[in-house]
Amino acid sequence: EDADGIRGTESDDVGVTGLFGTLTSFAPLCVNGQALALDPATTVTADGEPVSADRLRVGQVLWVTGSVVDGVLRAERVDVLIAQRGSIAAVEPRRRRIRVGEPWVTLLDHALVVDRATGLHLDPRGLRVGEVVEVSALRDREGRLFASRVDRIAASREQGSVVRPGHLPEVRALA
C-alpha cells in the first residue's frame, strides 16, 4: 500500500496475481509498471459488461488477474473500472476539477481527456457542464477521486440526467 492508500500488485502462494492500477502502455499491456501478456482467451469487461480488448485505452483504471506461465505474466481477466459516468454538473477549470456525482473528481496533471466518438484528445479546460463523461479514476483513503482519463461520451444532455457511479472495489491482500 502506498502513502495514498492505493494498493498495487498482490499475489498468493499458487502464482495467481492481481494488479490494480492505471493502464500506461500497450505491447505488452503495462499496469503499475508490470508487463502482462494479453491473448485472445483473456476475458475483458468494462464496468462488468463483456467487451473486446480493443476497448482498452491508456489512462483507464484496471483490475487484472493472471498467472505466471513460463516466466511470463499472462492476463486471464481484465476489468476496466469506471469511477463515474453521467453529465458534468459543475466545472472548476483552475482547480482541474469536475463534478459528475459525489465526490468531485480532480484531473491529474497527466490525465487524458478524449472525445470517444472521434478519438481526439481534448483540452481539460474545455470540459463543460452538461457534457456526458465516463471517468477513470483512483480513490484515495479519504474517498477523493483522481482521474487519469475522462472520456467525453456526448457533447451535452438535457438537465436532470442520471449519474451512475461506477464501482471501485476495495483491494485487499490475498490470503
Side-chain angles (χ1 to χ4, degrees):
E1 186 171 311
D2 67 15
D4 293 324
I6 300 169
R7 293 182 188 223
T9 306
E10 300 174 346
S11 64
D12 64 15
D13 293 334
V14 295
V16 175
T17 299
L19 294 172
F20 176 69
T22 305
L23 176 60
T24 56
S25 67
F26 290 96
L29 193 70
C30 190
V31 177
N32 287 355
Q34 295 289 315
L36 298 119
L38 195 65
D39 61 44
T42 302
T43 300
V44 180
T45 67
D47 213 23
E49 298 296 321
V51 297
S52 165
D54 293 342
R55 171 93 163 38
L56 296 174
R57 300 286 182 263
V58 169
Q60 290 175 324
V61 174
L62 307 179
W63 172 248
V64 182
T65 54
S67 58
V68 177
V69 177
D70 297 326
V72 176
L73 183 55
R74 298 202 175 277
E76 295 166 1
R77 181 178 177 96
V78 177
D79 296 302
V80 179
L81 305 175
I82 308 303
Q84 293 183 335
R85 181 185 295 124
S87 294
I88 296 175
V91 178
E92 291 184 353
R94 289 187 181 161
R95 296 180 73 188
R96 297 182 56 88
R97 294 190 338 160
I98 61 173
R99 188 167 56 81
V100 177
E102 292 297 332
W104 281 85
V105 177
T106 300
L107 278 68
L108 296 169
D109 289 339
H110 64 276
L112 298 172
V113 179
V114 180
D115 183 281
R116 184 168 289 167
T118 65
L120 294 175
H121 288 240
L122 306 172
D123 184 334
R125 296 170 297 187
L127 290 170
R128 301 284 180 253
V129 170
E131 291 180 324
V132 180
V133 296
E134 187 173 271
V135 178
S136 296
L138 295 172
R139 187 181 306 273
D140 72 4
R141 274 184 225 197
E142 297 172 19
R144 298 175 299 191
L145 290 174
F146 295 91
S148 51
R149 183 179 180 99
V150 176
D151 285 281
R152 184 174 69 184
I153 299 170
S156 66
R157 184 168 238 181
E158 67 278 356
Q159 284 189 321
S161 66
V162 175
V163 173
R164 194 195 60 69
H167 175 69
L168 292 179
E170 178 181 327
V171 180
R172 49 190 163 76
L174 298 171

